[in-house]
Coordinates of all heavy atoms in Angstrom, one line a residue:
V28 N 15.6 13.4 -6.7 CA 16.0 14.0 -8.0 C 14.9 14.9 -8.6 O 13.7 14.5 -8.5 CB 16.5 12.9 -9.0 CG1 15.4 12.0 -9.5 CG2 17.1 13.5 -10.2
D29 N 15.3 16.0 -9.1 CA 14.3 16.9 -9.8 C 13.8 16.3 -11.1 O 14.7 15.8 -11.9 CB 14.9 18.3 -10.0 CG 13.8 19.3 -10.3 OD1 13.2 19.2 -11.4 OD2 13.7 20.3 -9.6
E30 N 12.6 16.3 -11.3 CA 12.0 15.8 -12.6 C 12.7 16.6 -13.8 O 12.7 15.9 -15.0 CB 10.5 15.9 -12.7 CG 9.8 15.0 -11.7 CD 8.3 15.3 -11.7 OE1 7.8 16.2 -12.5 OE2 7.6 14.7 -10.9
K31 N 13.1 17.8 -13.7 CA 13.7 18.5 -14.7 C 15.2 18.3 -14.9 O 15.7 18.8 -15.9 CB 13.3 20.0 -14.4 CG 11.8 20.3 -14.5 CD 11.6 21.8 -14.5 CE 10.2 22.2 -14.1 NZ 9.9 21.9 -12.7
D32 N 15.8 17.6 -13.9 CA 17.2 17.3 -14.0 C 17.4 16.5 -15.4 O 16.5 15.8 -15.9 CB 17.5 16.3 -12.9 CG 18.9 15.9 -12.9 OD1 19.7 16.6 -12.2 OD2 19.3 14.8 -13.4
G33 N 18.4 16.8 -16.1 CA 18.7 16.3 -17.4 C 18.5 14.8 -17.7 O 17.7 14.4 -18.5
Q34 N 19.1 14.0 -16.7 CA 18.9 12.6 -16.8 C 17.4 12.2 -16.5 O 16.9 11.3 -17.1 CB 19.9 12.0 -15.8 CG 19.7 10.5 -15.5 CD 20.5 9.6 -16.5 OE1 20.8 10.0 -17.6 NE2 20.9 8.4 -16.1
A35 N 16.9 12.8 -15.5 CA 15.5 12.5 -15.1 C 14.5 12.8 -16.2 O 13.6 12.0 -16.7 CB 15.0 13.3 -13.9
A36 N 14.7 13.9 -16.9 CA 13.9 14.4 -17.9 C 14.1 13.3 -19.2 O 13.1 12.9 -19.8 CB 14.2 15.8 -18.4
A37 N 15.3 13.0 -19.4 CA 15.6 12.0 -20.5 C 15.0 10.7 -20.4 O 14.6 10.0 -21.3 CB 17.1 11.9 -20.7
L38 N 14.9 10.3 -19.0 CA 14.3 9.0 -18.8 C 12.7 9.1 -18.5 O 12.1 8.1 -18.1 CB 15.0 8.3 -17.5 CG 16.5 7.9 -17.8 CD1 17.1 7.5 -16.5 CD2 16.4 6.7 -18.8
G39 N 12.2 10.2 -18.6 CA 10.8 10.5 -18.3 C 10.4 10.2 -16.8 O 9.2 9.8 -16.6
Y40 N 11.4 10.5 -15.9 CA 11.1 10.3 -14.5 C 10.0 11.2 -14.0 O 10.0 12.5 -14.3 CB 12.4 10.5 -13.7 CG 12.1 10.5 -12.2 CD1 12.0 9.3 -11.5 CD2 12.0 11.7 -11.5 CE1 11.7 9.3 -10.1 CE2 11.8 11.8 -10.1 CZ 11.7 10.5 -9.4 OH 11.4 10.5 -8.1
K41 N 9.0 10.6 -13.2 CA 8.0 11.5 -12.5 C 8.1 10.9 -11.0 O 8.1 9.7 -10.8 CB 6.6 11.2 -13.1 CG 6.5 11.8 -14.5 CD 6.4 13.3 -14.5 CE 6.3 13.8 -15.9 NZ 6.6 15.3 -16.0
A42 N 8.0 11.9 -10.1 CA 8.0 11.5 -8.7 C 6.6 10.8 -8.4 O 6.6 10.1 -7.3 CB 8.1 12.8 -7.9
D43 N 5.6 11.0 -9.2 CA 4.3 10.4 -9.1 C 4.1 9.5 -10.3 O 3.9 10.0 -11.3 CB 3.3 11.5 -8.9 CG 1.9 10.8 -8.7 OD1 1.6 9.7 -9.0 OD2 0.9 11.6 -8.3
S44 N 4.1 8.3 -10.1 CA 4.1 7.3 -11.2 C 2.8 7.6 -12.1 O 2.7 7.3 -13.2 CB 4.1 5.9 -10.6 OG 3.8 4.9 -11.7
S45 N 1.7 8.0 -11.4 CA 0.5 8.3 -12.1 C 0.5 9.4 -13.1 O -0.4 9.6 -13.9 CB -0.7 8.4 -11.1 OG -0.7 9.7 -10.4
K46 N 1.6 10.2 -12.9 CA 1.7 11.4 -13.8 C 2.5 11.0 -15.1 O 2.8 12.0 -15.8 CB 2.4 12.6 -13.0 CG 1.5 12.9 -11.8 CD 0.6 14.1 -12.1 CE -0.5 14.3 -11.2 NZ 0.0 14.4 -9.7
V47 N 3.0 9.9 -15.2 CA 3.8 9.5 -16.4 C 3.0 9.6 -17.6 O 1.8 9.3 -17.6 CB 4.3 8.0 -16.2 CG1 5.0 7.6 -17.5 CG2 5.4 8.0 -15.1
D48 N 3.6 10.2 -18.6 CA 3.0 10.3 -20.0 C 2.8 9.0 -20.7 O 3.7 8.3 -21.2 CB 3.9 11.2 -20.8 CG 3.3 11.5 -22.3 OD1 2.4 10.8 -22.6 OD2 3.8 12.4 -22.9
G49 N 1.6 8.4 -20.6 CA 1.3 7.0 -21.0 C 1.4 7.0 -22.6 O 1.6 5.9 -23.1
K50 N 1.3 8.1 -23.3 CA 1.4 8.0 -24.8 C 2.8 7.9 -25.2 O 3.2 7.0 -26.0 CB 0.8 9.3 -25.4 CG -0.7 9.4 -25.3 CD -1.2 10.4 -26.4 CE -2.6 10.5 -26.4 NZ -3.1 11.3 -25.3
K51 N 3.7 8.6 -24.5 CA 5.2 8.5 -24.8 C 5.7 7.3 -24.2 O 6.7 6.7 -24.8 CB 5.8 9.7 -24.2 CG 7.2 10.0 -24.7 CD 7.7 11.3 -24.2 CE 9.2 11.6 -24.6 NZ 9.7 12.8 -24.0
Y52 N 5.3 6.8 -23.0 CA 5.9 5.6 -22.4 C 4.7 4.6 -22.2 O 4.2 4.3 -21.2 CB 6.4 6.0 -21.0 CG 7.5 7.0 -21.1 CD1 7.3 8.4 -20.7 CD2 8.7 6.6 -21.6 CE1 8.3 9.3 -20.8 CE2 9.8 7.6 -21.8 CZ 9.6 8.9 -21.4 OH 10.5 9.8 -21.5
A53 N 4.5 4.0 -23.4 CA 3.4 2.9 -23.4 C 3.6 1.7 -22.6 O 2.7 1.0 -22.2 CB 3.2 2.5 -24.9
A54 N 4.9 1.5 -22.2 CA 5.3 0.3 -21.4 C 4.9 0.5 -19.9 O 4.8 -0.4 -19.1 CB 6.7 0.0 -21.5
H55 N 4.7 1.8 -19.5 CA 4.3 2.1 -18.1 C 3.0 1.5 -17.7 O 2.0 1.6 -18.5 CB 4.3 3.6 -18.0 CG 3.7 4.1 -16.6 ND1 2.5 4.5 -16.4 CD2 4.5 4.1 -15.4 CE1 2.3 4.8 -15.1 NE2 3.5 4.5 -14.5
K56 N 3.0 0.9 -16.6 CA 1.8 0.4 -16.0 C 1.6 0.9 -14.6 O 2.5 1.3 -13.9 CB 2.0 -1.2 -15.8 CG 2.2 -1.9 -17.2 CD 1.3 -3.1 -17.3 CE 1.4 -3.8 -18.8 NZ 2.6 -3.5 -19.5
A57 N 0.3 1.1 -14.2 CA -0.1 1.8 -13.0 C 0.6 1.2 -11.8 O 1.0 1.9 -10.9 CB -1.6 1.8 -12.9
E58 N 0.8 -0.1 -11.8 CA 1.3 -0.7 -10.6 C 2.9 -0.6 -10.5 O 3.4 -1.0 -9.5 CB 0.9 -2.2 -10.4 CG 1.5 -3.2 -11.4 CD 0.8 -3.3 -12.8 OE1 0.0 -2.4 -13.1 OE2 1.1 -4.2 -13.6
Q59 N 3.5 -0.1 -11.5 CA 4.9 0.0 -11.5 C 5.3 1.3 -10.8 O 4.8 2.4 -11.1 CB 5.5 0.1 -13.0 CG 5.2 -1.1 -13.8 CD 5.6 -1.0 -15.2 OE1 5.9 0.0 -15.7 NE2 5.7 -2.1 -15.9
N60 N 6.3 1.2 -9.9 CA 6.9 2.4 -9.3 C 8.3 2.1 -8.8 O 8.7 0.9 -8.8 CB 6.0 3.0 -8.2 CG 5.7 1.9 -7.1 OD1 6.6 1.3 -6.5 ND2 4.4 1.8 -6.8
C61 N 9.1 3.1 -8.5 CA 10.4 2.9 -8.0 C 10.4 1.9 -6.8 O 11.4 1.1 -6.8 CB 11.0 4.3 -7.6 SG 11.2 5.4 -9.0
G62 N 9.5 1.9 -6.0 CA 9.4 1.1 -4.8 C 9.5 -0.4 -5.2 O 9.9 -1.2 -4.4
N63 N 8.9 -0.8 -6.4 CA 9.0 -2.2 -6.7 C 9.9 -2.4 -8.0 O 9.7 -3.4 -8.7 CB 7.6 -2.7 -6.9 CG 6.7 -2.1 -7.9 OD1 7.2 -1.7 -8.9 ND2 5.3 -2.0 -7.7
C64 N 10.8 -1.5 -8.2 CA 11.8 -1.6 -9.3 C 13.0 -2.3 -8.8 O 13.5 -2.0 -7.7 CB 12.1 -0.2 -9.8 SG 13.5 -0.2 -11.0
A65 N 13.6 -3.1 -9.6 CA 14.8 -3.8 -9.2 C 16.0 -2.9 -8.9 O 16.9 -3.3 -8.2 CB 15.3 -4.8 -10.3
L66 N 16.0 -1.7 -9.4 CA 17.1 -0.8 -9.2 C 16.9 0.0 -8.0 O 18.0 0.7 -7.5 CB 17.3 0.1 -10.4 CG 18.1 -0.5 -11.6 CD1 17.1 -1.5 -12.4 CD2 18.5 0.4 -12.6
F67 N 15.9 0.1 -7.3 CA 15.6 0.9 -6.2 C 16.5 0.4 -5.0 O 16.5 -0.8 -4.7 CB 14.2 0.9 -5.7 CG 13.7 1.8 -4.6 CD1 13.8 3.2 -4.8 CD2 13.3 1.3 -3.5 CE1 13.5 4.0 -3.9 CE2 12.7 2.2 -2.5 CZ 12.9 3.5 -2.6
Q68 N 17.1 1.4 -4.4 CA 18.1 1.0 -3.3 C 17.5 1.2 -1.9 O 18.2 0.9 -0.9 CB 19.4 1.7 -3.4 CG 20.1 1.2 -4.8 CD 21.3 2.2 -5.1 OE1 21.3 3.4 -4.8 NE2 22.3 1.6 -5.7
G69 N 16.4 1.8 -1.9 CA 15.7 2.0 -0.5 C 15.2 0.6 0.0 O 15.1 -0.4 -0.6
K70 N 14.8 0.7 1.3 CA 14.2 -0.5 1.9 C 12.7 -0.5 1.7 O 12.1 0.6 1.3 CB 14.5 -0.5 3.5 CG 15.9 -0.6 3.8 CD 16.1 -0.9 5.4 CE 15.6 0.3 6.2 NZ 16.4 1.5 6.1
A71 N 12.0 -1.7 1.8 CA 10.6 -1.7 1.7 C 10.0 -0.8 2.7 O 10.3 -0.7 3.8 CB 10.1 -3.2 1.9
G72 N 9.1 0.1 2.2 CA 8.4 1.0 3.0 C 9.0 2.3 3.1 O 8.4 3.3 3.4
D73 N 10.2 2.5 2.5 CA 10.8 3.8 2.4 C 10.1 4.7 1.5 O 9.6 4.2 0.4 CB 12.3 3.7 2.0 CG 13.3 3.2 3.1 OD1 12.9 3.0 4.2 OD2 14.5 3.0 2.7
K74 N 9.9 6.0 1.8 CA 9.3 6.9 0.8 C 10.2 7.3 -0.4 O 9.7 7.7 -1.4 CB 8.9 8.2 1.6 CG 7.6 7.9 2.5 CD 6.8 9.2 2.6 CE 5.4 8.9 3.1 NZ 5.3 7.8 4.1
A75 N 11.5 7.2 -0.1 CA 12.5 7.5 -1.2 C 13.7 6.7 -1.0 O 14.0 6.3 0.2 CB 12.8 9.1 -1.1
G76 N 14.5 6.6 -2.0 CA 15.7 5.8 -1.9 C 16.7 6.2 -3.1 O 16.2 6.8 -4.0
G77 N 17.9 5.5 -3.0 CA 18.8 5.8 -4.1 C 18.4 5.0 -5.4 O 17.6 4.1 -5.3
C78 N 18.9 5.4 -6.4 CA 18.8 4.6 -7.7 C 20.2 4.8 -8.5 O 20.6 6.0 -8.6 CB 17.7 5.2 -8.5 SG 17.7 4.6 -10.3
P79 N 20.7 3.7 -8.9 CA 22.0 3.9 -9.6 C 22.0 4.8 -10.8 O 23.1 5.2 -11.2 CB 22.4 2.3 -10.0 CG 21.1 1.6 -9.8 CD 20.3 2.4 -8.9
L80 N 20.9 5.1 -11.3 CA 20.8 5.9 -12.5 C 20.9 7.4 -12.1 O 21.1 8.2 -13.0 CB 19.6 5.7 -13.3 CG 19.4 4.3 -13.9 CD1 18.1 4.2 -14.7 CD2 20.6 3.9 -14.7
F81 N 20.7 7.6 -10.8 CA 20.8 9.0 -10.3 C 21.7 9.0 -9.1 O 21.3 9.2 -8.0 CB 19.3 9.5 -9.9 CG 18.3 9.5 -11.1 CD1 17.4 8.5 -11.2 CD2 18.4 10.4 -12.1 CE1 16.5 8.4 -12.2 CE2 17.5 10.4 -13.2 CZ 16.5 9.4 -13.3
A82 N 23.0 8.9 -9.4 CA 24.0 8.8 -8.3 C 23.9 10.0 -7.4 O 23.9 11.2 -7.8 CB 25.4 8.7 -8.9
G83 N 23.8 9.7 -6.1 CA 23.9 10.8 -5.1 C 22.6 11.4 -4.9 O 22.5 12.3 -4.1
K84 N 21.5 10.9 -5.5 CA 20.2 11.5 -5.4 C 19.2 10.5 -5.1 O 19.5 9.3 -5.3 CB 19.8 12.2 -6.7 CG 20.6 13.5 -6.9 CD 20.3 14.1 -8.2 CE 21.1 15.4 -8.4 NZ 21.2 15.8 -9.9
N85 N 18.1 10.8 -4.6 CA 17.0 9.9 -4.1 C 15.8 10.0 -5.2 O 15.6 11.1 -5.8 CB 16.4 10.3 -2.8 CG 17.3 9.6 -1.7 OD1 18.1 8.7 -2.0 ND2 17.1 10.0 -0.5
V86 N 15.3 8.9 -5.4 CA 14.0 9.0 -6.2 C 12.8 8.6 -5.2 O 13.0 7.9 -4.2 CB 14.1 7.9 -7.3 CG1 15.2 8.3 -8.4 CG2 14.4 6.4 -6.9
A87 N 11.7 9.0 -5.6 CA 10.5 8.8 -4.8 C 10.0 7.3 -5.0 O 10.0 6.8 -6.1 CB 9.4 9.7 -5.2
A88 N 9.6 6.6 -3.9 CA 9.2 5.2 -4.0 C 8.0 5.2 -5.0 O 7.7 4.2 -5.6 CB 8.8 4.7 -2.6
A89 N 7.2 6.3 -4.9 CA 6.0 6.4 -5.8 C 6.3 6.8 -7.2 O 5.4 6.9 -8.0 CB 5.0 7.3 -5.1
G90 N 7.6 7.0 -7.5 CA 7.9 7.5 -8.8 C 8.1 6.4 -9.8 O 7.8 5.3 -9.6
W91 N 8.5 6.8 -11.0 CA 8.7 5.9 -12.1 C 9.6 6.6 -13.2 O 9.6 7.8 -13.3 CB 7.4 5.6 -12.8 CG 7.5 4.5 -13.9 CD1 7.4 3.2 -13.7 CD2 7.7 4.7 -15.3 NE1 7.4 2.4 -14.9 CE2 7.6 3.4 -15.9 CE3 7.9 5.8 -16.1 CZ2 7.9 3.2 -17.2 CZ3 8.0 5.6 -17.5 CH2 7.9 4.3 -18.0
C92 N 10.4 5.8 -13.9 CA 11.2 6.2 -15.0 C 11.2 5.1 -16.1 O 10.9 4.0 -15.8 CB 12.5 6.7 -14.7 SG 13.8 5.4 -14.8
S93 N 11.6 5.5 -17.3 CA 11.5 4.6 -18.4 C 12.5 3.4 -18.3 O 12.4 2.5 -19.1 CB 11.5 5.3 -19.8 OG 12.8 5.9 -19.8
A94 N 13.4 3.4 -17.3 CA 14.3 2.3 -17.1 C 13.8 1.3 -16.2 O 14.6 0.4 -15.7 CB 15.8 2.9 -16.7
Y95 N 12.6 1.5 -15.8 CA 12.0 0.5 -14.8 C 12.2 -0.8 -15.2 O 12.0 -1.3 -16.3 CB 10.4 0.9 -14.7 CG 9.7 -0.1 -13.7 CD1 9.6 0.1 -12.4 CD2 9.1 -1.3 -14.3 CE1 8.9 -0.7 -11.6 CE2 8.5 -2.2 -13.4 CZ 8.4 -1.9 -12.1 OH 7.8 -2.8 -11.2
A96 N 12.5 -1.7 -14.2 CA 12.7 -3.1 -14.3 C 12.0 -3.7 -13.1 O 12.4 -3.4 -11.9 CB 14.2 -3.5 -14.4
K97 N 11.1 -4.7 -13.4 CA 10.4 -5.4 -12.3 C 11.3 -6.1 -11.4 O 12.3 -6.8 -11.9 CB 9.4 -6.3 -13.0 CG 8.4 -6.8 -12.0 CD 7.3 -7.6 -12.8 CE 6.1 -7.9 -12.0 NZ 6.3 -9.0 -11.1
K98 N 11.0 -6.0 -10.1 CA 12.0 -6.6 -9.0 C 11.6 -8.1 -9.0 O 10.4 -8.4 -9.1 CB 11.7 -5.9 -7.7 CG 12.7 -6.4 -6.6 CD 12.2 -6.0 -5.3 CE 12.4 -4.4 -5.0 NZ 12.2 -4.0 -3.7
G99 N 12.5 -8.9 -8.8 CA 12.2 -10.3 -8.6 C 12.1 -11.3 -9.7 O 11.9 -11.1 -10.8
Ligands
SF4_5 FE1 12.8 4.4 -10.3 FE2 13.7 2.2 -11.2 FE3 13.7 4.4 -12.8 FE4 15.4 4.1 -10.8 S1 15.3 2.9 -12.6 S2 14.1 5.9 -11.2 S3 14.2 3.0 -9.2 S4 11.9 3.3 -12.0

């Protein structure tokens, strides 16, 4: 998904978790990324995978958005 896509922008999605605006998203932590988010649909080790918030599109395993939920 493109970071500028309406839904992605609204959720503060970045393909690189380290580029997330920490002032705007104080809940963001460095170790959080799509790859360890409960909503990520890719397999462990996949560089990208689906996310129910972005139907039909892939998110980067190294990415992050404000709907992040810790897996497990
Ligand atoms: Fe990534 Fe999780 Fe946000 Fe989906 S909900 S974009 S997997 S952080």
Side-chain angles (χ1 to χ4, degrees):
V28 65
D29 192 298
E30 292 175 358
K31 295 186 198 72
D32 180 88
Q34 170 88 333
L38 290 171
Y40 172 79
K41 294 286 180 198
D43 178 348
S44 176
S45 71
K46 302 269 165 51
V47 170
D48 182 346
K50 287 203 178 76
K51 193 167 176 190
Y52 300 107
H55 173 257
K56 302 224 168 29
E58 71 274 16
Q59 298 177 344
N60 57 51
C61 294
N63 60 35
C64 172
L66 280 72
F67 187 64
Q68 296 170 328
K70 295 190 295 291
D73 283 356
K74 287 210 159 41
C78 170
L80 298 183
F81 302 103
K84 291 174 181 161
N85 276 343
V86 296
W91 186 90
C92 90
S93 58
Y95 175 86
K97 194 171 190 281
K98 194 192 285 187

